[in-house]
Amino acid sequence: MLNRRSLKDLVRPNIAKLAPYSSARNEYSGHEAHVFLDANENPYNSPYNRYPDPLQQEVKGELSKIKKVPACNIFLGNGSDEAIDLVYRVFCRPQVDNVVAIEPTYGMYKVCADINDIEYRPVLLDEHYQMSADALLAACDDRTKVIWICSPNNPTGNNMSTQEITAVLERFDGIVVIDEAYSDFSSAPLFRHGVTKYPHLIVLNTMSKAWGCAAIRLGMAFANEEIITLFNKVKYPYNVNLLTQQHALEALKNRTEVEKWVKLLLEERPKLMAAFRELPICLTVYPTDANFFLAKMTDAQSIYDYLVERGIIVRNRTRIKLCKDCLRVTIGTKKENAELLSALRQFKDK
């Protein structure tokens, strides 16, 4: 039986003792009010003159219905990046603790580690871009606070093994973060439904991908109430603005439309991948469970530069470990995909 560290043991001591800022909107929570003379706001230009709900209760209520997670287990932030940064600020002591992550993966895990002065220990995936629980755990020591897993992974696109992820959850005594940003495009089991079973689990999600709302910058984290309370304690008081909350509520009413978008993208995905395989300049198209795929090309840099000249932007991942000469291609509309393929078919003559 794993002798798991308690959350109290994992939290930075200064954060455990932190007295959070008490916003005006928090202090009267639970009461009806109609005269607001507490926050030094301008009484004119409603509704933009008032500070927004600091805990985004209405948005969480709607998300709870869709995500099948209680509102008390949801944190909302300025994109998923805010939640990523909060993991470091809540649990990791600068120049003391370390984190472990799969490699290659989403770059912000390392960027936030560097910003917070935390040692970042990458563990290479295998030749099939799969993770090993044993390898991740072997990289840990008594100062490892967090393990980062992205599934479906970015930039590789594939799901990590459910069995290997579960092994990490059951064998690691620190915080496990699973980033499910692309889960709407996958049929794999969702780990966000396990936040009550695993008290040290944090699952990330976003409105940026399937919901088509990258511009509003709304990310979410699912975790047990104690972790959510810690995040709310450390975050800036009004971290999600009113316009974002309003647009999120409107977007959440259009679930049928979002399902249609996902269906269209999933129909286009195999077509675009098959067309890529036929290109003489494409060596390999890797399996994917996301709304993008990774393709190994004959010369990724030259092909990337060629596409940029034609106003077509893909992601050049050739400098990322295990991704030499790879381009990451997002699934677009039929027209966008056709334009991309037309350009690439002409490149063979260059």
Side-chain angles (χ1 to χ4, degrees):
M1 180 69 71
L2 178 66
N3 185 20
R4 191 179 296 277
R5 286 176 285 183
S6 68
L7 281 174
K8 182 180 178 181
D9 294 329
L10 292 168
V11 175
R12 288 169 54 179
N14 66 305
I15 298 301
K17 293 184 283 189
L18 177 68
Y21 176 78
S22 179
S23 72
R25 295 296 176 262
N26 277 330
E27 290 177 357
Y28 73 82
S29 178
H31 298 275
E32 290 294 328
H34 63 281
V35 176
F36 300 97
L37 304 175
D38 58 322
N40 303 334
E41 300 155 322
N42 189 322
Y44 306 108
N45 195 36
S46 179
Y48 307 111
N49 59 328
R50 301 299 181 189
Y51 289 109
D53 175 6
L55 295 176
Q56 314 92 31
Q57 299 289 14
E58 189 176 0
V59 181
K60 288 178 182 177
E62 293 304 309
L63 274 171
S64 177
K65 299 172 189 175
I66 293 170
K67 300 294 185 180
K68 309 301 182 187
V69 175
C72 61
N73 297 117
I74 302 174
F75 169 84
L76 297 182
N78 185 351
S80 297
D81 295 340
E82 181 178 4
I84 291 168
D85 185 57
L86 281 172
V87 170
Y88 288 103
R89 292 166 62 196
V90 169
F91 296 107
C92 300
R93 294 166 294 172
Q95 299 185 0
V96 176
D97 296 324
N98 66 74
V99 302
V100 169
I102 61 174
E103 175 80 357
T105 194
Y106 181 43
M108 280 303 294
Y109 310 144
K110 185 178 189 307
V111 169
C112 286
D114 292 343
I115 290 170
N116 287 281
D117 206 6
I118 306 298
E119 181 189 357
Y120 184 89
R121 298 180 176 182
V123 177
L124 284 177
L125 301 174
D126 66 19
E127 65 274 18
H128 303 294
Y129 292 139
Q130 260 311 325
M131 61 171 269
S132 160
D134 288 341
L136 286 170
L137 294 168
C140 299
D141 59 24
D142 59 359
R143 289 185 175 176
T144 303
K145 288 290 189 71
V146 181
I147 292 180
W148 295 95
I149 300 170
C150 187
S151 183
N153 189 30
N154 178 9
T156 62
N158 60 309
N159 284 314
M160 295 295 102
S161 162
T162 299
Q163 182 178 347
E164 294 299 301
I165 294 176
T166 302
V168 170
L169 284 169
E170 294 180 348
R171 294 166 56 191
F172 180 57
D173 68 347
I175 301 295
V176 178
V177 183
I178 303 174
D179 193 338
E180 293 185 339
Y182 299 96
S183 59
D184 293 283
F185 305 99
S186 167
S187 59
L190 296 167
F191 279 92
R192 69 170 178 257
H193 297 142
V195 295
T196 54
K197 179 180 180 181
Y198 299 106
H200 292 188
L201 169 64
I202 300 171
V203 178
L204 305 180
N205 205 208
T206 179
M207 294 284 288
S208 296
K209 310 305 178 184
W211 289 87
C213 289
I216 73 170
R217 307 306 302 129
L218 187 66
M220 59 202 83
F222 306 101
N224 74 55
E225 283 192 69
E226 192 173 350
I227 291 176
I228 299 299
T229 298
L230 287 165
F231 276 21
N232 287 332
K233 185 179 183 181
V234 175
K235 76 173 183 72
Y236 293 121
Y238 304 106
N239 61 323
V240 180
N241 69 68
L242 176 63
L243 295 174
T244 291
Q245 294 188 45
Q246 289 176 334
H247 193 92
L249 288 169
E250 286 300 311
L252 292 170
K253 295 175 184 176
N254 296 322
R255 188 177 180 185
T256 302
E257 186 74 4
V258 172
E259 290 171 352
K260 184 176 78 173
W261 296 339
V262 171
K263 183 174 182 290
L264 287 170
L265 291 170
L266 292 180
E267 288 173 353
E268 280 295 300
R269 187 173 71 184
K271 296 176 186 177
L272 184 58
M273 293 172 71
F276 252 73
R277 292 188 186 98
E278 298 299 318
L279 295 170
I281 57 174
C282 180
L283 303 177
T284 306
V285 176
Y286 295 99
T288 185
D289 300 285
N291 66 328
F292 63 86
F293 61 89
L294 196 67
K296 188 173 183 65
M297 313 300 284
T298 53
D299 185 344
Q301 188 63 56
S302 294
I303 297 167
Y304 173 80
D305 292 340
Y306 163 83
L307 290 173
V308 169
E309 289 176 1
R310 281 149 186 78
I312 301 171
I313 311 300
V314 295
R315 197 79 153 102
N316 185 4
R317 300 283 75 189
T318 193
R319 294 182 179 85
I320 304 296
K321 288 184 179 178
L322 303 183
C323 296
K324 172 70 173 170
D325 274 320
C326 286
L327 297 179
R328 192 192 71 195
V329 182
T330 305
I331 310 300
T333 64
K334 287 185 179 182
K335 182 181 178 182
E336 290 170 331
N337 297 339
E339 186 173 348
L340 168 64
L341 290 169
S342 176
L344 290 173
R345 285 167 182 148
Q346 294 173 57
F347 181 84
K348 63 184 179 182
D349 297 325
K350 298 293 179 180

